[in-house]
């Protein structure tokens, strides 16, 4: 950052610095604004003019030295005065170097480079732990402060996970200090590895900031998660770190050392809007974990513990559900409103949980999404529905359209299309399968979706936009996307008879779909009145409890498919 009241000086310096590669340059010609900008920008180095009107460079230096957060920023003073008094005074006030005006370009680069190198070394000493190489307590506090303020500003949630090694004092005494250090280094290494593996699979590099691990004190570590997907994802990371820290046992100086850790979690800004408060709360959570017998994790907000435990058990069971064949598909009939006949069915996943009974997707699809199990689960659904379609076809039953829900994450997989192609190969059923993608997921970077949609169409599949009406679609993208059907969201259907707005929206969606040559389906139809309204206003198909609930394949076959076959 450069502070100089002469714009021409700034322009020339900036142009020169950019040429040699220093591109992150900011400046002000108003010395009265300098401190305010400094606090926001926190530059790596300041080029500071001394002779300026109203507020001089000395004033700024003095104010910086009095400010805890600005004190350590190196300052190179630019002075037209050659007298040594000015220079001495600047050095006394904490300037790290000075340059005479007019500034000589090569000298400027040299000074800058030296100053930045010194700063980097200084920073490493100040902010990193010598034993483990991790960021230290000071750095961690800065990081928490930064993450907290961003979370408040962007209205999102983050979390702190503190990790304490159980009974470290005893272990350290038994091993001796140097073996104790080796143990700490190995623990730090395992935690760092696990955090980076977890980040790679759980953080979207475009939108999510990666978690940061630091060492708070001898046997305390902290992870700052700047942004979370769910409570479950914190619980998941904490459990994974607990496992990494304790298994396998450590081999130190010929001894096998068994280590466990206790963990506390605090969420921000919910559990505290100041760094101190958050640290206090994460400390109290860890205290509870120790009281609960150590080797466990506790959330500061007690109600979150139950949710985290449930999430974890769902996750563990979910991992085994596919191989144990616990998923099944229910089919919900779709009715052609003009004829009243069966026109298709939506495939909806269910989980036959060994202890908890039949679970609907609401109880496990969100977990599957956060722990990356949606891809294998979703592929299973596609394989299963395809198998069923072939089986019904082979049995000579009418070939109706079967719709499959596809999650955005699944669609985003690089090998998604290839996998679909492989599943469909040789079955000849693509013309009887439709993929439903939600409007919200399609309209997020719609440009990037078009190619994938086209490839699916080329395989012969139909495409439907699910939950339509809630996601602010762009008309121009709708026109460019190779889709066949809009599925009007249940929330509008619910209110068709009670809200004129909803009725008007439904009519508008049907008209728009017609103009784009798309079919319409209304979902969640529960009453005769809703069905009549939809028929009178030209909606194509209907689906909902009024006609039938989702049912097991065998029931759907007997009560619907075979009857359709009979009167055809
Ligand atoms: P969705 O795609 O909007 O599916 C429609 C949901 O509405 C289904 O809930 C269905 O049982 C329910 N429903 C249908 N008619 C009525 C009605 O008249 N009244 C009421 N109150 N509800 C009705 P379900 O089966 O619990 O599925 C919930 C959501 O889970 C689905 O919403 C879909 O987003 C997701 N899902 C289901 N199966 C899969 C799957 O195989 N893969 C993925 N990624 N998501 C799935
Ligand atoms: Ca659907
Ligand atoms: Ca839907």
């Amino acid at each position: 950052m450069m502070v100089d009241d002469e714009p021409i000086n700034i322009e020339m310096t900036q142009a020169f610095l950019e040429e040699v590669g220093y591109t992150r340059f900011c400046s002000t010609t108003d010395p009265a604004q300098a401190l305010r900008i400094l606090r926001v920008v926190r530059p790596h180095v300041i080029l500071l003019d001394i002779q300026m009107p109203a507020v001089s460079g000395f004033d700024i230096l003095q104010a910086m030295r009095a400010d805890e957060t600005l004190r350590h920023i190196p300052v190179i003073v630019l002075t037209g005065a050659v007298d040594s008094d000015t220079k001495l005074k600047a050095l006394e006030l904490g300037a790290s170097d000075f340059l005479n005006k007019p500034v000589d370009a090569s000298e400027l680069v040299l000074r800058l480079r030296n100053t930045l190198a010194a700063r980097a070394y200084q920073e490493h000493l100040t902010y990193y732990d010598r034993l483990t190489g991790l960021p230290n307590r000071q750095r961690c506090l800065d990081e928490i402060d930064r993450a907290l303020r961003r979370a408040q500003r962007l209205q999102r949630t983050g979390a702190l996970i503190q990790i304490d090694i159980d009974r470290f004092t005893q272990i350290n005494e038994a091993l001796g200090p140097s073996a104790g250090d080796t143990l700490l280094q190995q623990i730090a290494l395992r935690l760092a590895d696990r955090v980076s593996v977890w980040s790679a699979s759980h953080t979207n590099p475009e939108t999510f900031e990666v978690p940061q691990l630091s060492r708070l004190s001898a046997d305390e570590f902290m992870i700052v998660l700047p942004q979370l997907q769910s409570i479950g994802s914190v619980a998941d990371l904490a459990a994974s770190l607990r496992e990494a820290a304790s298994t396998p046992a450590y081999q130190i100086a010929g001894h096998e050392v068994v280590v466990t850790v206790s963990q506390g979690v605090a969420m921000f800004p919910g559990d505290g809007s100041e760094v101190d408060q958050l640290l206090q709360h994460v400390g109290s959570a860890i205290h509870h974990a120790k009281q609960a017998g150590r080797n466990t994790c506790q959330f500061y907000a007690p109600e979150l513990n139950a949710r985290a435990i449930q999430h974890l058990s769902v996750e563990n069971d979910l991992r085994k559900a596919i191989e144990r064949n616990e998923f099944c598909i229910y089919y919900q009939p779709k009715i052609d409103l003009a004829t009243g006949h069966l026109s298709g069915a939506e495939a909806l996943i269910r989980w036959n949980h060994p202890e908890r009974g039949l679970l609907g997707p609401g109880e496990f699809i969100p977990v599957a999404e956060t722990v990356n199990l949606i891809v294998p689960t979703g592929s299973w659904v596609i394989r299963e529905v395809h198998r069923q379609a072939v089986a019904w076809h082979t049995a000579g039953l009418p070939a109706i359209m079967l719709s499959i829900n596809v999650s955005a994450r699944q669609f985003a997989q690089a090998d998604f299309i290839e996998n679909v192609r492989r599943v469909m190969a040789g079955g000849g059923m693509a013309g009887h399968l439709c993929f439903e993608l939600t409007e919200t997921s399609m309209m997020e970077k719609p440009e990037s979706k078009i190619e994938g949609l086209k490839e699916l169409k080329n395989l012969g599949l139909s495409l439907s936009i699910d939950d339509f009406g809630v996601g602010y679609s762009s008309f121009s993208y709708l026109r460019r996307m190779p889709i066949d059907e809009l599925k009007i969201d249940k929330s509008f259907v619910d209110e068709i008879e009670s809200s004129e707005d909803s009725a008007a929206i439904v009519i508008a969606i049907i008209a728009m779909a017609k103009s784009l040559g798309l079919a319409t389906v209304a979902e969640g139809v529960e009453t005769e009145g809703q069905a009549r309204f939809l028929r009178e206003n030209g909606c194509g198909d209907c689906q909902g409890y009024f006609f039938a609930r989702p049912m097991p394949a065998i029931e759907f076959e007997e009560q619907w498919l075979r009857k359709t076959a009979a009167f055809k």
Side-chain angles (χ1 to χ4, degrees):
M1 174 166 162
M2 180 162 179
V3 186
D4 194 316
D5 59 312
E6 298 274 0
I8 181 75
N9 288 347
I10 289 187
E11 274 163 37
M12 282 175 59
T13 311
Q14 175 166 15
F16 176 72
L17 288 178
E18 282 180 353
E19 206 170 289
V20 295
Y22 295 107
T23 52
R24 287 160 66 204
F25 185 90
C26 86
S27 62
T28 177
T29 50
D30 180 1
Q33 292 297 319
L35 283 171
R36 200 182 53 78
I37 300 173
L38 273 173
R39 287 199 187 93
V40 181
V41 177
R42 307 253 192 109
H44 293 160
V45 57
I46 301 168
L47 300 173
L48 179 65
D49 187 20
I50 286 292
Q51 280 107 6
M52 294 183 291
V55 180
S56 78
F58 291 131
D59 299 332
I60 293 175
L61 269 175
Q62 201 145 24
M64 281 180 68
R65 295 313 151 203
D67 185 322
E68 179 64 38
T69 61
L70 303 180
R71 185 178 301 161
H72 305 288
I73 303 178
V75 180
I76 299 176
V77 160
L78 309 174
T79 163
V82 276
D83 68 300
S84 51
D85 278 359
T86 307
K87 292 177 178 171
L88 281 176
K89 187 168 172 201
L91 290 180
E92 240 163 58
L93 284 171
S96 16
D97 210 339
F98 46 79
L99 272 169
N100 286 331
K101 282 175 151 187
V103 174
D104 175 81
S106 59
E107 202 170 342
L108 172 64
V109 174
L110 184 70
R111 299 283 166 96
L112 261 187
R113 212 174 51 198
N114 290 344
T115 307
L116 288 172
R119 177 189 169 277
Y121 181 65
Q122 189 62 39
E123 175 163 77
H124 199 83
L125 293 182
T126 321
Y127 289 117
Y128 288 83
D129 168 42
R130 237 163 23 98
L131 184 66
T132 62
L134 292 174
N136 64 12
R137 180 183 190 88
Q138 185 54 47
R139 181 67 199 266
C140 177
L141 298 184
D142 289 352
E143 179 65 23
I144 297 173
D145 186 47
R146 208 181 64 90
L148 180 59
R149 279 185 291 137
R150 276 177 72 83
Q152 284 164 329
R153 186 155 41 86
L154 304 172
Q155 297 195 330
R156 59 190 202 188
T157 304
L160 300 182
I161 307 177
Q162 188 176 327
I163 302 178
D164 284 16
I165 302 169
D166 293 332
R167 301 197 170 86
F168 182 71
T169 322
Q170 282 104 308
I171 299 176
N172 201 30
E173 273 167 16
L175 288 174
S178 106
D181 280 357
T182 310
L183 177 63
L184 284 171
Q185 285 169 329
Q186 293 193 10
I187 293 174
L189 210 63
R190 285 195 194 176
L191 293 177
D193 274 352
R194 192 56 67 100
V195 169
S196 72
V197 168
W198 191 89
S199 307
S201 65
H202 285 72
T203 30
N204 172 346
E206 281 172 35
T207 51
F208 292 105
E209 295 176 63
V210 294
Q212 188 186 297
L213 170 69
S214 24
R215 182 171 175 224
L216 280 189
S217 70
D219 61 341
E220 295 174 327
F221 297 86
M222 181 76 91
I223 286 133
V224 184
L225 278 152
Q227 183 178 17
L228 302 181
Q229 290 157 303
S230 66
I231 303 293
S233 63
V234 195
D236 174 53
L237 174 60
S240 169
L241 289 167
R242 205 156 65 241
E243 187 212 69
S246 57
T247 43
Y250 296 82
Q251 302 295 332
I252 308 268
H255 300 282
E256 184 176 89
V257 183
V258 176
V259 166
T260 62
V261 299
S262 298
Q263 296 168 311
V265 177
M267 317 285 282
F268 55 81
D271 291 342
S273 51
E274 297 297 331
V275 176
D276 286 349
Q277 195 183 24
L278 267 178
L279 285 176
Q280 201 183 332
H281 289 169
V282 79
S284 105
I286 216 163
H287 182 69
H288 283 134
K290 286 180 178 164
Q291 278 185 326
R294 301 190 164 90
N295 192 19
T296 183
C297 173
Q298 288 283 308
F299 282 69
Y300 172 70
E303 67 274 13
L304 294 187
N305 287 317
R307 272 173 68 189
I309 288 167
Q310 204 207 335
H311 175 98
L312 282 182
S313 67
V314 168
E315 184 196 338
N316 286 335
D317 295 349
L318 206 49
R319 291 193 190 280
K320 298 168 201 140
I322 296 182
E323 51 189 86
R324 291 186 188 163
N325 216 3
E326 290 169 353
F327 290 131
C328 66
I329 301 287
Y330 273 37
Y331 291 87
Q332 184 177 35
K334 272 165 75 177
I335 311 296
D336 178 339
L337 278 174
T339 63
H341 293 166
L342 180 73
S343 62
E346 177 171 7
L348 295 157
I349 192 170
R350 298 290 180 268
W351 181 9
N352 252 313
H353 191 282
E355 286 129 37
R356 297 168 60 201
L358 192 70
L359 302 181
E363 300 195 60
F364 61 91
I365 290 287
V367 177
E369 294 267 3
T370 61
V371 300
N372 271 356
L373 285 171
I374 192 66
V375 175
T377 307
S379 321
W380 179 85
V381 173
I382 296 173
R383 282 200 308 277
E384 170 58 19
V385 176
H386 180 261
R387 184 200 63 76
Q388 184 68 76
V390 171
W392 279 334
H393 183 71
T394 315
L397 293 165
I400 55 159
M401 186 69 90
L402 298 178
S403 298
I404 300 173
N405 292 285
V406 173
S407 118
R409 243 170 213 267
Q410 209 182 337
F411 180 69
Q413 293 289 307
D415 54 0
F416 177 66
I417 313 268
E418 194 41 48
N419 288 341
V420 173
R421 192 197 315 274
R422 211 172 309 137
V423 173
M424 306 282 163
M429 292 313 290
H432 301 287
L433 296 176
C434 173
F435 281 2
E436 294 188 3
L437 288 138
T438 65
E439 182 189 24
T440 338
S441 67
M442 279 303 98
M443 288 303 149
E444 185 180 306
K445 299 206 193 141
E447 193 67 51
S448 68
K449 307 276 166 35
I450 294 177
E451 199 47 41
L453 293 175
K454 282 189 181 150
E455 289 183 48
L456 289 176
K457 279 253 40 125
N458 288 341
L459 296 180
L461 293 157
S462 297
L463 299 174
S464 173
I465 300 215
D466 205 353
D467 303 341
F468 190 82
V470 295
Y472 307 102
S473 279
S474 137
F475 189 81
S476 72
Y477 278 115
L478 276 182
R479 200 165 41 198
R480 287 171 54 202
M481 285 178 168
I483 45 178
D484 304 281
E485 174 188 279
L486 298 183
K487 209 160 178 184
I488 304 169
D489 192 61
K490 178 175 183 306
S491 59
F492 302 111
V493 175
D494 281 345
E495 295 182 342
I496 277 183
E497 292 171 295
S498 58
S499 147
E500 284 181 17
D501 283 352
S502 290
I505 291 174
V506 169
I507 291 172
I509 294 177
I510 295 170
M512 183 183 70
K514 279 216 174 96
S515 78
L516 289 169
L518 304 177
T520 40
V521 189
E523 65 178 355
V525 178
E526 292 181 348
T527 68
E528 190 175 0
Q530 290 166 350
R532 190 181 324 115
F533 177 97
L534 289 159
R535 190 182 59 234
E536 283 167 2
N537 286 287
C539 180
D541 286 353
C542 260
Q543 177 186 339
Y545 294 175
F546 175 67
F547 302 98
R549 292 186 174 246
M551 61 192 84
I554 181 70
E555 249 173 66
F556 177 72
E557 177 183 326
E558 283 166 3
Q559 294 172 12
W560 290 84
L561 266 187
R562 290 198 182 273
K563 291 187 180 158
T564 304
F567 65 68
K568 265 207 172 162

